[in-house]
Amino acid sequence: MMKFRFRRQGADPQREKLKQELFAFHKTVEHGFPNQPSALAFDPELRIMAIGTRSGAVRIYGAPGVEFTGLHHNAATVAQMHFLPGQGRLLTLLDDNSLHLWEIVPHNGCAHLEEMLSFQLPSRPVFDGASTLPSLSRVTVVLLVADGNRAALGTEGGSVFFLNMDTLTLLEGQTLAPDEVLRSLPDDYRCGKALGPVESLQGHLQDPSKILIGYSRGLLVIWSQTAHCVERVFLGNQQLESLCWERSGSTVVSSHSDGSYAIWPADSGSSLVLQPTAATMPYGPFPCKAINKILWRNCESGGHFIIFSGGMPRASYGDRHCVSVLQAETLVTLDFTSRVIDFFTVHSTLLEDEFDDPQALAVLLEEELVVLDLQTPGWPAVPAPYLAPLHSSAITCSAHVANVPAKLWARLVSSGEQQSPQPTSSTSSWPITGGQNLAQEPSQRGLLLTGHEDGTVRFWDASGVALRPLYKLSTAALFQTDCEHADSLAQAAEDDWPPFRKVGCFDPYSDDPRLGVQKVALCKYTARMVVAGTAGQVLVLELSDVPAEQAVSVASMDLLQDREGFTWKGHDQLSPSTGPLPWPAGFQPQVLVQCLPPAAITAVTLHTEWGLVAFGTSHGFGVFDYQRKSPVLARCTLHPNDSLAMEGPLSRVKSLKKSLRQSFRRIRKSRVSGKKRAVNASSKLQEANAQLAEQAYPHDVEVTPVQRRIEPRSADDSLSGVVRCLYFADTFLRDAVHHGPTLWAGTNSGSVFAYALEVPAAATGSEKRPEQAVEAVLGKEVQLMHRAPVVAVTVLDGRGRPLPEPYEASRDLAQAPDMQGGHAVLIASEEQFKVFTLPKVSAKTKFKLTAHEGCRVRKVALATFASVACEDYAETCLACLTNLGDVHVFSVPGLRPQVHYSCIRKEDISGIASCVFTRHGQGFYLISPSEFERFSLSARNITEPLCSLDIRWPRDTTCDSYRLQESPKLSQANGTPGIILAPRSCDGSPSPARSKGAGDTLEPSEATLSPISMDSATSADTTLDTTGDVTMEDVRDFLGGTPEESAECGAR
C-alpha cells in the first residue's frame, strides 16, 4: 500500500503571532555612491545636498545619517535640480521636459521626501489661437527667482518663461520672447545669425529683480523684471557655455566653447558693452575644449577664486576630466578619473556679507564625490563620512562581521587614521551638515568587508545608515607587479604644465587581475584574517598597531597530489617579493600559502584557536598550520573528466572538438536513460493506479504538494571538484563519547568530506598550543543522492544551536555548546537542506526546496531573530536566498518553513551572487557596481534613516490638495519598495518596537528556549502576510481631511 503524509488542518494562531513578532521584511537603506549621477544641487541655508540619477532617483544628504530618497514615476534622467533655499523644497527637471516639485515633509517627529507637484511641459509647438503663450520648446536652464515663489525657464527657442512655484503653472503675460531682446540690439548684430537657445540664467544677489540671460550665440542681456525691459547688453560673438555674476553685481564672467573665459563690466554707464575688459584662454594658445561651467568667488583676504571645468588642450589632454582652481597666481588643475557632472562652492550667501569667502569646493563626478577645503593651504581633500565609492576598484567579494569588540574597533580606526591623517584645522570638517540624525547610537558595531579586483580589502562601518570607510588593506605590495614601473613612466611623461593634481580614489584599472580578492575571513577576537586571491594565493595576516619591516614566510601546497594526466592551462602564480618589506600599521602578512595549480580560491575558513586555515579551489582543498608554518592536509577532489577545471578563469584555451564530443555524449546518454525511465515509469504507474483504486483516503484533509522530479546530476560534469564550502567544528565524528576538532568540506558534485584533526591542546592559561604537528584523518564521506552542489555545512549542538565561533566559549563571550546531547550536521545543497545525526551520519530530517518551490539555493546563513514583544526571546533560523531572488527562513533543526519574501529581481544575477547575510537577520546585496541595498528579515533589528530637518518657512496649507502622493512611504530608487518611517511618541523618541533599530543588536540569551518552542509541530508551511485591509476612512483619518476635501483632491 502507498503511504500518504497528511498535514494538520489550519495554522496555529499562537505560532502565527510569534512569527509576526520575529520576522518582517524591509528594504531599509542604500549604501554607497548613487549609480550614474546626472545632476547636483545644494541648499546653502539648510546645508543639504541633492543628487539626481539617470534612473530618475533623487537622493538628499545632510549630516551623517540624514538621508532622504525619492524616485520619479517615469524614471527619466534628472537633468537639473534646484533647491528653494531654506524651504526644504526641490525642483527637478527631467529630460522628458517635465518639472517636479519635491518637499521634505515632517511626519510623527521624522521627515521624508515626497513629490508634491508635477508639470509636463509641451515639447512641440502648440497651435492654439486662445493661448497667449508662444510655443514652448525644450527647457534648457532653470533659475529660481529670489524675490518670490517663481522660476524662470530658458528654452531652446530662446524664450524665457516664468513659473508659479506654488501651483507649478506658467504665468501668462511675463514671458520674455527673443523678439523683445532683438529690438534692443544694434542692426549689424541683429542681422546676423539667431540668438540660439538660452544657455544660462543668473540672478543678482543684491537686486533680485534683475536676471542675467546668456544665449548660445554669445549675447549677454541683463533683464529688469520690474521695468520689463533690457537694461544692459553685452555683445559677445563666441559660443556661450555658462555665466556667473560676481557677488556685488559689478562684474560678469562668461565661459565659451573655445576654452576661454571673458570678464565683462556690469556697472559701466553705457547700456551697450561691445568688448569684455579681459578675455583669457588658460590652457591656450592651441585649440582647447569648452569650459562647461565657471564660478567667480571673492575673498576678504584678496585674490578672488575662478573655478571652471573643462578648457583642456584638445590634442594633448582632451580626454582628461578636470576642474581648475585659480586664485591670484596659483593655478591647480584637479585631474579626476571619471567625468565631471557638476560642482558647487560652500560659501556665505547672507545679504549683509560683502564677500563670498568660499569654504569648500564639492565636485560631483560620474563615479565619486570629492570635496576640497579651500581655506587650508594646498586645498586638501576632505574625507567623506558617506558616499564613498565602493567600486573604486571592482568588488569581487564581501563579508559581514557582527558584534565587533571595542578594542578591535579602536585599533582599526587608528590604523585607518594613520593611512589618511585627518586635517588638524577645524574649518576643514565635512561641510554638508544639514538635518539631525534621530536614530539611537548602535548598541554594537558591525563591519562590512569588501574584497576588490586590485587586491585590496576595505573595512566599512556598517553599524548605521551612513556606510563610513574605516581602513584599507592592500596585498599588492607583497607581489612583484609592473605597476610601479608604469607609474614612474607616466609621471616622467607629464610636463609641469598644466599643473595636474590627481584627486579622488576611483581607479577602475587593475594592474594584474590575479591580485583580485576572492574570499576573506576575519577573527574578531584575535585580530587575524585570511585573504585569498584569484591566483591561488592565501594570506594570513595579523593586526599590528605600529609599522614594521619583516619578511613573509612563503609555502606552497600541491592540491593535485601528483595526479597524472592533468595539465594546468591557466594563469601563472604571482611572484612574491623577496626580503624584508615595510608594512604600515594595520594588518600585516605573516604567511603566504600558494596553492598549486594556481586556481582561484573558492572557499576559505579560519580557526584561530587551533591555528589552522583551510582553503579550497576547483582542484581540491588543503589545511595549513600557520603557527608552525607547515601543511597539514591536501586532498584532490578532481574527477577524471574534470578537464574544464584545469583551464582556469583567465584562460582562453579550450578544445572545441572535446566540448562537442562531451555534448553529444550527454545527449546520447539522456536519450538512453529516458527510454529506460519511460518503461519503468509505465509499469510502476499501472501498479500505483491499481493500489489507488483499491483504497480510499479522507478527501477533507489537505495533501502535501506534489514534489517536482529532480534528475540526478552526472558525475562526469565539468567543475564537479570545485570546493564550495569549508567548516571547522569541535564535534563527535569517531564515536559518541569523544569529541574533537574536525574539518568539513563540500564540493560541487554533492560530496562532503569530514576529517578528524589531532590538534595539540594548549597549556592551561595559555592560548598558544605546543609546537607539535597537527594530523588529519578522514572520518566520514557523504555523497548526496542527486549530486547537487553543497553550499554550506554547519554542526548543531545538543540543543540544536550552531557551535560558537573560536574563543567565544573559552572567553565566556557566548554560551558554551551542549556536548552532552547528540550533535547533528546540517548540510545545505543547492536543492535541499538535510540534517544528519552524529557520529553515525544518519538522516534525521530534510526539506527539498527545489522539489517544493522549483528554485535553487544560492546563499544560506544561520541568523538569530529577536522578538519585538519579548526582550529575552529569540530563535536561531536558517536564512536562504534562491536563484529566483526570494528569501526563505526555516526553523533549526526542524527545517520547517517560516516565511519567505521576494527580495531581488531574478534577472539580477550579480545582485543575487553578491548577497551577504548578517548574524542578526539583516543582509546586503549590490544593486549597482557602487551601491549596496540593505534589507532586514527581522521585525526588531532594522537599520533605516530616522532624521529631521529644521525648516522655517510659512507652509501654505492649500498646497496640500496638489499632492501627488498621499502616502508617508519613502519611495526609493532601483525598484525598492516604500518604507514607512518608525512611529514616534509625542516627545520624538522612537517607539519601543524600533528602539533598537540602529544596527545589529546584541544577541539575546537563548537559555530559556527549547527545541519544542523553536520547532513547533503546529508550524505551517505558509507565507507571513502582515498587510491589513485599508479603507477610505483609514486614509482620511491619516491625512486629517474631511470627505469633502478628499473629493476635492480627487476632482483635481
Side-chain angles (χ1 to χ4, degrees):
M1 293 180 63
M2 295 186 67
K3 296 181 179 179
F4 290 89
R5 294 185 296 118
F6 301 104
R7 185 181 299 163
R8 294 175 62 99
Q9 290 181 334
D12 182 8
Q14 186 177 359
R15 180 61 192 175
E16 291 303 311
K17 182 176 181 296
L18 186 57
K19 284 183 182 180
Q20 296 187 24
E21 296 172 354
L22 291 173
F23 310 110
F25 181 74
H26 301 273
K27 288 187 178 180
T28 54
V29 67
E30 295 169 4
H31 296 301
F33 184 78
N35 187 40
Q36 296 182 329
S38 57
L40 177 69
F42 179 67
D43 188 334
E45 295 187 22
L46 296 179
R47 289 291 184 113
I48 55 177
M49 174 185 65
I51 296 177
T53 69
R54 295 186 194 173
S55 61
V58 176
R59 309 279 181 80
I60 297 180
Y61 301 93
V66 177
E67 296 184 13
F68 306 96
T69 305
L71 180 66
H72 291 91
H73 292 290
N74 44 0
T77 298
V78 181
Q80 295 183 40
M81 309 173 75
H82 301 273
F83 273 110
L84 279 71
Q87 300 183 17
R89 296 197 291 172
L90 178 71
L91 182 67
T92 60
L93 171 67
L94 305 188
D95 64 352
D96 63 355
N97 219 35
S98 64
L99 288 167
H100 302 260
L101 183 63
W102 296 80
E103 185 176 336
I104 299 174
V105 181
H107 175 69
N108 287 341
C110 295
H112 64 276
L113 185 63
E114 185 174 319
E115 184 178 354
M116 310 296 291
L117 300 168
S118 70
F119 178 54
Q120 180 64 52
L121 298 164
S123 57
R124 295 181 180 179
V126 179
F127 300 98
D128 185 2
S131 176
T132 60
L133 293 174
S135 61
L136 179 62
S137 57
R138 190 176 69 87
V139 175
T140 55
V141 64
V142 178
L143 169 68
L144 295 177
V145 182
D147 63 345
N149 266 350
R150 293 185 305 152
L153 309 178
T155 64
E156 274 188 344
S159 299
V160 178
F161 297 85
F162 290 89
L163 194 72
N164 185 341
M165 293 300 300
D166 289 334
T167 59
L168 223 59
T169 55
L170 291 176
L171 297 173
E172 296 191 16
Q174 299 189 25
T175 303
L176 173 61
D179 294 340
E180 296 184 55
V181 177
L182 288 172
R183 286 196 291 266
S184 305
L185 302 180
D187 292 340
D188 56 344
Y189 195 92
R190 189 189 314 167
C191 296
K193 57 183 179 178
L195 298 181
V198 178
E199 290 291 341
S200 182
L201 293 173
Q202 297 292 324
H204 195 296
L205 185 63
Q206 308 295 334
D207 188 357
S209 65
K210 296 181 180 180
I211 297 179
L212 177 64
I213 306 172
Y215 295 91
S216 178
R217 179 179 173 181
L219 175 69
L220 313 183
V221 170
I222 296 180
W223 173 260
S224 173
Q225 300 179 74
T226 54
H228 205 73
C229 66
V230 175
E231 281 195 358
R232 186 168 280 105
V233 175
F234 307 89
L235 298 180
N237 290 303
Q238 186 61 42
Q239 182 177 338
L240 183 70
E241 292 291 331
S242 73
L243 285 175
C244 181
W245 212 333
E246 188 260 341
R247 186 182 185 92
S248 64
S250 60
T251 304
V252 172
V253 184
S254 62
S255 67
H256 303 276
S257 60
D258 63 346
S260 66
Y261 67 85
I263 301 175
W264 303 82
D267 56 354
S268 62
S270 174
S271 61
L272 183 65
V273 181
L274 301 178
Q275 295 292 334
T277 56
T280 306
M281 185 179 291
Y283 299 108
F286 298 106
C288 295
K289 300 194 73 174
I291 294 180
N292 304 309
K293 180 177 179 179
I294 191 166
L295 297 178
W296 177 297
R297 300 288 182 257
N298 56 16
C299 301
E300 186 175 5
S301 59
H304 53 264
F305 279 93
I306 296 180
I307 305 170
F308 59 90
S309 60
M312 302 307 297
R314 188 177 295 274
S316 51
Y317 301 110
D319 57 343
R320 297 290 185 98
H321 311 288
C322 298
V323 172
S324 301
V325 182
L326 173 64
Q327 186 186 29
E329 300 298 325
T330 304
L331 173 64
V332 173
T333 308
L334 305 175
D335 188 11
F336 303 100
T337 54
S338 58
R339 187 169 58 93
V340 178
I341 304 296
D342 201 354
F343 59 92
F344 64 84
T345 59
V346 180
H347 61 278
S348 173
T349 57
L350 300 177
L351 293 176
E352 57 268 19
D353 290 344
E354 184 180 353
F355 299 96
D356 294 310
D357 285 330
Q359 305 169 14
L361 169 67
V363 184
L364 176 65
L365 307 162
E366 199 168 33
E367 305 294 351
E368 61 183 323
L369 176 75
V370 176
V371 177
L372 298 181
D373 176 20
L374 296 182
Q375 294 189 340
T376 301
W379 304 330
V382 180
Y386 51 83
L387 282 178
L390 302 175
H391 63 317
S392 52
S393 175
I395 296 177
T396 52
C397 68
S398 54
H400 185 270
V401 182
N403 300 333
V404 178
K407 184 178 180 180
L408 174 60
W409 190 270
R411 296 177 67 189
L412 285 173
V413 171
S414 175
S415 300
E417 291 175 350
Q418 293 184 51
Q419 284 183 335
S420 55
Q422 301 295 319
T424 57
S425 174
S426 60
T427 61
S428 56
S429 57
W430 185 249
I432 304 163
T433 57
Q436 182 181 3
N437 183 13
L438 302 178
Q440 292 184 349
E441 280 295 318
S443 56
Q444 60 88 33
R445 300 292 185 181
L447 271 179
L448 182 65
L449 311 180
T450 55
H452 297 265
E453 190 181 30
D454 60 355
T456 59
V457 179
R458 287 172 167 82
F459 293 66
W460 308 90
D461 178 4
S463 310
V465 172
L467 192 68
R468 183 169 62 97
L470 293 180
Y471 167 73
K472 183 179 77 170
L473 163 67
S474 178
T475 62
L478 183 59
F479 303 100
Q480 297 177 4
T481 59
D482 297 332
C483 59
E484 297 88 354
H485 181 62
D487 288 343
S488 63
L489 289 178
Q491 294 292 335
E494 291 186 356
D495 299 328
D496 293 337
W497 182 261
F500 287 116
R501 172 182 160 192
K502 287 285 185 183
V503 183
C505 59
F506 177 73
D507 184 10
Y509 307 106
S510 175
D511 299 314
D512 194 329
R514 296 174 297 174
L515 292 171
V517 177
Q518 295 296 321
K519 298 291 177 181
V520 293
L522 171 67
C523 176
K524 58 189 178 185
Y525 300 114
T526 60
R528 279 193 175 90
M529 74 177 301
V530 176
V531 178
T534 304
Q537 69 271 25
V538 179
L539 270 172
V540 181
L541 306 101
E542 186 174 4
L543 185 61
S544 175
D545 298 327
V546 294
E549 184 172 347
Q550 60 187 13
V552 179
S553 301
V554 180
S556 61
M557 291 187 67
D558 184 9
L559 299 182
L560 289 181
Q561 294 295 289
D562 300 328
R563 284 205 182 187
E564 298 180 356
F566 290 97
T567 304
W568 172 249
K569 302 175 185 177
H571 51 266
D572 295 331
Q573 68 185 59
L574 287 165
S575 301
S577 302
T578 58
L581 298 173
W583 300 104
F587 279 97
Q588 300 173 353
Q590 308 293 318
V591 181
L592 167 63
V593 183
Q594 178 63 55
C595 296
L596 299 175
I601 302 297
T602 56
V604 73
T605 185
L606 174 68
H607 202 293
T608 52
E609 203 164 357
W610 301 337
L612 300 177
V613 58
F615 42 85
T617 68
S618 56
H619 308 123
F621 59 91
V623 181
F624 190 83
D625 181 354
Y626 63 81
Q627 285 194 10
R628 298 184 69 249
K629 298 180 175 55
S630 62
V632 175
L633 167 69
R635 170 69 185 257
C636 181
T637 56
L638 278 179
H639 190 272
N641 292 335
D642 255 351
S643 58
L644 193 59
M646 303 307 296
E647 297 185 1
L650 304 179
S651 173
R652 298 295 179 264
V653 182
K654 189 173 183 180
S655 172
L656 178 62
K657 187 184 297 183
K658 183 177 292 186
S659 63
L660 289 174
R661 189 184 303 123
Q662 290 177 351
S663 301
F664 282 117
R665 283 177 180 172
R666 286 197 198 96
I667 295 172
R668 194 180 303 117
K669 187 175 181 180
S670 63
R671 286 175 178 172
V672 173
S673 60
K675 292 179 182 179
K676 293 180 180 178
R677 282 196 301 270
V679 175
N680 296 335
S682 61
S683 59
K684 291 183 178 179
L685 185 61
Q686 293 175 0
E687 295 177 6
N689 289 336
Q691 292 178 356
L692 285 172
E694 295 176 359
Q695 71 174 29
Y697 59 91
H699 294 278
D700 57 339
V701 179
E702 182 185 359
V703 185
T704 55
V706 178
Q707 297 184 8
R708 296 168 175 82
R709 185 174 67 180
I710 307 301
E711 294 292 339
R713 309 188 187 200
S714 171
D716 299 341
D717 287 346
S718 298
L719 298 177
S720 61
V722 175
V723 178
R724 295 289 296 272
C725 61
L726 293 164
Y727 177 68
F728 283 118
D730 184 359
T731 186
F732 301 90
L733 187 62
R734 294 175 176 173
D735 54 58
V737 179
H738 304 92
H739 62 87
T742 60
L743 170 71
W744 300 76
T747 70
N748 229 22
S749 60
S751 299
V752 179
F753 304 95
Y755 279 82
L757 305 175
E758 293 291 342
V759 180
T764 305
S766 173
E767 294 182 353
K768 192 171 183 181
R769 56 180 174 79
E771 292 292 329
Q772 298 178 11
V774 179
E775 298 180 0
V777 179
L778 181 62
K780 305 287 182 182
E781 187 172 343
V782 180
Q783 178 62 58
L784 301 182
M785 183 181 301
H786 293 118
R787 299 183 178 274
V790 178
V791 179
V793 177
T794 302
V795 172
L796 308 174
D797 67 2
R799 289 186 290 264
R801 301 180 198 160
L803 300 180
E805 295 182 11
Y807 286 111
E808 275 192 338
S810 60
R811 296 183 179 181
D812 296 328
L813 300 170
Q815 187 177 3
D818 182 7
M819 301 306 246
Q820 303 301 322
H823 283 199
V825 59
L826 169 61
I827 298 178
S829 72
E830 284 191 358
E831 296 177 359
Q832 67 178 1
F833 309 116
K834 204 165 187 178
V835 176
F836 297 88
T837 61
L838 290 177
K840 293 184 178 180
V841 193
S842 57
K844 181 179 180 182
T845 182
K846 64 181 177 182
F847 183 85
K848 299 180 179 179
L849 185 69
T850 303
H852 283 293
E853 305 292 341
C855 54
R856 296 188 182 276
V857 178
R858 287 292 177 259
K859 302 281 183 177
V860 294
L862 287 168
T864 301
F865 293 88
S867 170
V868 295
C870 180
E871 290 282 337
D872 298 328
Y873 185 80
E875 292 187 9
T876 298
C877 299
L878 180 71
C880 155
L881 176 68
T882 71
N883 64 327
L884 302 181
D886 297 332
V887 176
H888 297 252
V889 179
F890 299 88
S891 62
V892 174
L895 297 181
R896 291 185 174 86
Q898 302 300 304
V899 291
H900 77 266
Y901 308 100
S902 178
C903 182
I904 311 174
R905 292 181 299 107
K906 63 180 180 181
E907 298 84 8
D908 189 1
I909 300 175
S910 61
I912 295 174
S914 64
C915 182
V916 174
F917 290 106
T918 74
R919 288 182 57 182
H920 302 291
Q922 295 195 32
F924 302 84
Y925 69 92
L926 287 172
I927 54 176
S928 73
S930 60
E931 292 172 289
F932 272 112
E933 175 77 77
R934 187 173 192 146
F935 64 91
S936 175
L937 304 174
S938 172
R940 176 175 166 183
N941 194 9
I942 302 173
T943 302
E944 63 182 354
L946 296 175
C947 47
S948 66
L949 199 61
D950 187 14
I951 302 172
R952 297 187 180 93
W953 68 282
R955 293 179 181 272
D956 188 359
T957 56
T958 61
C959 295
D960 292 342
S961 60
Y962 290 93
R963 292 190 181 182
L964 296 180
Q965 301 175 2
E966 298 291 357
S967 168
K969 294 186 178 182
L970 186 150
S971 175
Q972 291 198 348
N974 299 288
T976 303
I979 302 163
I980 300 178
L981 293 173
R984 295 188 160 262
S985 58
C986 296
D987 60 353
S989 61
S991 64
R994 300 286 180 87
S995 60
K996 294 184 181 288
D1000 285 350
T1001 56
L1002 290 174
E1003 184 175 348
S1005 172
E1006 295 183 7
T1008 59
L1009 302 182
S1010 64
I1012 298 177
S1013 66
M1014 291 160 48
D1015 300 297
S1016 173
T1018 60
S1019 175
D1021 183 12
T1022 58
T1023 303
L1024 177 63
D1025 187 1
T1026 59
T1027 305
D1029 296 328
V1030 181
T1031 63
M1032 285 298 298
E1033 286 75 19
D1034 295 331
V1035 176
R1036 292 193 192 104
D1037 292 340
F1038 174 77
L1039 297 177
T1042 62
E1044 290 76 10
E1045 291 173 349
S1046 300
E1048 184 182 358
C1049 290
R1052 295 191 182 183

